[in-house]
Amino acid sequence: MKVLVIGGGAREHALCRSLSQDSDVTELHCAPGNAGIAQLAAVHPVDQLDGAAVTALARRLGAELVVVGPEAPLVAGVSDAVRAAGIPVFGPSGAAAQLEGSKAFAKDVMAGAGVPTARSYVCTTEAEVAEALDAFGAPYVVKDDGLAAGKGVVVTSDRAEAAAHAASCERVVIEEYLDGPEVSLFAITDGTTVLPLVPAQDFKRALDDDQGPNTGGMGAYSPLPWAPEGLVQEVLETVLQPTVDELRRRGTPFSGLLYAGLALTSRGTRVIEFNARFGDPETQVVLARLRTPLAGVLLASAQGTLGTLEPLRWDEGAAVTVVIASEGYPAAPRTGDPIEGLAEAEADGTAFVLHAGTKAGENGEVLSAGGRVLSVTAVGADLKEAREKAYRGVAAISLKGSHHRTDIAAKAAG
Ligand code: AMP
């Protein structure tokens, strides 16, 4: 199978890594890719948001499966263009990707499907905002309705800050605060059948002990030894399947990766958000544990045949990933610095490095090119071992001014 992956972050590097290990994959392409992906796949420049350009590239390469990684091309309808050309594509239509692209749409779907989530108001005027903030009280949760690359959500006890964020957005969703630990559960679906993957937890704050600003994610681990037994089955029955069924009923069937961000509150499991694609950095740990070859699973989603697949097989051990971010991330990331120690980090074969924001320099060196630069992932018999291996890899890498959290999976590892 010839596969083309769209995107160029650590998520796409993780996807390419798994696909490159699948003996069914005869040719692997990625557009635009990054310096790390270029070691596994042929990389091609493309405007990811241009459905016609992506389709033309897929045709030229003879791609038999296109995998769309990031949310922006999905919301822009890139999958629709590829699908219309008769090429199987992993990733929802633009209409179904509104589940991530519009928080108000997601709330409406959840209401229709009876899926438990935070109570919320959609507001467009200052008066509506004020009423909603007062109805729920502190801590306030204010979400930009549109796609905001993880930066659209403000959770604060400062009413003025909450109102200011609301004022900076055209349309906001204001909702009840959900307490309790967060879980990310991914599922692969073809619009009818839903296959949950293993749960993971990510770390959104920049600094240890969940201090500092929110980021795209600083690390992740799987499994979650503390999670209640039966969680995956419960979420499948109360969240994932009803959501997929509701979207199909509405005439916008969702195929691809459905990501449920959940809060395990004292009053039960609630959806915090849906995403329409693999999450970064949870993908790194989830795919590190997947033993079933990936390409066939993604193709079955694209072709509507997931119901015929054997159950997915998983590594019984654990995986941990630690993100290395550039100086100044998330506020003002510094880029263009050389990264050293990449080979050393992987030397003993226990950890692997996935590139997020990197590019190749003129002399073949690898340079930082984004806020989240790399992630180092390792698997082990348990979280303690996976954690030790991942941090050994992190220690081998040097990038001027970079920072990473030192407490990824620490509590869960015991
Ligand atoms: P989202 O982009 O919706 O995932 O929000 C980003 C982060 O904000 C989440 O991972 C949570 O940590 C936090 N958050 C979002 N909604 C809520 C809520 N209703 N209650 C508490 N925290 C929330």
Side-chain angles (χ1 to χ4, degrees):
M1 194 193 312
K2 294 184 189 175
V3 183
L4 169 62
V5 176
I6 302 301
R11 162 188 42 228
E12 288 75 30
H13 195 174
L15 287 164
C16 283
R17 181 175 183 273
S18 293
L19 290 166
S20 73
Q21 294 171 343
D22 182 339
S23 57
D24 285 344
V25 176
T26 52
E27 263 182 47
L28 184 58
H29 299 270
C30 186
N34 62 34
I37 292 172
Q39 295 168 11
L40 298 174
V43 295
H44 308 270
V46 79
D47 176 356
Q48 293 180 57
L49 301 182
D50 183 341
V54 169
T55 304
L57 176 64
R59 274 222 182 91
R60 181 162 67 73
L61 297 172
E64 291 150 291
L65 173 65
V66 175
V67 179
V68 183
E71 60 274 25
L74 291 168
V75 171
V78 166
S79 309
D80 304 77
V82 175
R83 204 172 277 125
I87 303 169
V89 57
F90 181 81
S93 67
Q98 281 303 307
L99 197 61
E100 172 166 5
S102 165
K103 306 239 183 233
F105 177 76
K107 285 291 185 190
D108 195 51
V109 170
M110 283 189 265
V115 167
T117 183
R119 288 178 297 125
S120 65
Y121 295 105
V122 181
C123 308
T124 50
T125 67
E126 208 181 311
E128 286 170 1
V129 166
E131 200 176 317
L133 291 177
D134 293 335
F136 292 128
Y140 305 101
V141 182
V142 182
K143 301 185 173 186
D144 191 339
D145 180 46
L147 267 193
K151 294 181 191 108
V153 179
V154 165
V155 181
T156 177
S157 291
D158 180 344
R159 194 181 182 288
E161 188 190 348
H165 180 58
S168 75
C169 310
E170 230 168 83
R171 203 155 93 116
V172 290
V173 175
I174 293 179
E175 66 181 33
E176 142 194 50
Y177 177 80
L178 300 173
D179 61 348
E182 288 180 30
V183 172
S184 301
L185 184 62
F186 301 169
I188 292 181
T189 176
D190 57 10
T192 303
T193 300
V194 182
L195 282 189
L197 308 186
V198 288
Q201 189 175 49
D202 76 342
F203 293 74
K204 286 239 162 55
R205 300 295 194 107
L207 307 175
D208 281 5
D209 296 323
D210 295 328
Q211 301 297 305
N214 260 320
T215 70
M218 296 297 291
Y221 67 95
S222 174
L224 314 178
W226 49 267
E229 216 177 300
L231 177 70
V232 172
Q233 190 60 28
E234 178 209 329
V235 175
L236 175 64
E237 287 168 14
T238 62
V239 173
L240 299 167
Q241 190 71 55
T243 301
V244 166
D245 292 344
E246 173 71 14
L247 283 162
R248 194 178 59 248
R249 254 196 310 271
R250 289 177 179 225
T252 47
F254 185 105
S255 72
L257 193 291
L258 178 59
Y259 167 136
L262 307 159
L264 309 190
T265 78
S266 48
R267 290 183 295 130
T269 304
R270 300 277 186 277
V271 173
I272 292 183
E273 63 161 347
F274 282 125
N275 291 321
R277 37 79 197 176
F278 280 99
D280 179 356
E282 299 97 316
T283 301
Q284 285 87 312
V285 290
V286 170
L287 291 185
R289 295 187 57 209
L290 180 65
R291 289 284 155 268
T292 305
L294 182 62
V297 182
L298 302 185
L299 185 66
S301 159
Q303 296 186 322
T305 55
L306 272 183
T308 66
L309 284 192
E310 304 271 307
L312 298 176
R313 288 178 286 111
W314 297 96
D315 187 314
E316 289 301 318
V320 171
T321 190
V322 179
V323 170
I324 299 179
S326 56
E327 184 177 343
Y329 177 77
R334 179 190 150 102
T335 58
D337 293 309
I339 303 163
E340 271 150 35
L342 292 171
E344 289 79 355
E346 296 186 329
D348 59 5
T350 56
F352 57 91
V353 180
L354 298 172
H355 294 223
T358 67
K359 64 175 185 204
E362 276 173 17
N363 305 314
E365 73 275 34
V366 178
L367 302 174
S368 61
R372 290 190 294 171
V373 180
L374 302 163
S375 56
V376 182
T377 308
V379 292
D382 55 21
L383 284 173
K384 187 163 173 288
E385 188 185 322
R387 204 178 117 71
E388 280 164 10
K389 288 176 173 174
Y391 276 106
R392 222 178 298 146
V394 170
I397 295 174
S398 59
L399 164 63
K400 191 165 163 256
S402 67
H403 60 100
H404 62 266
R405 281 183 62 155
T406 66
D407 63 346
I408 305 300
K411 259 193 232 137

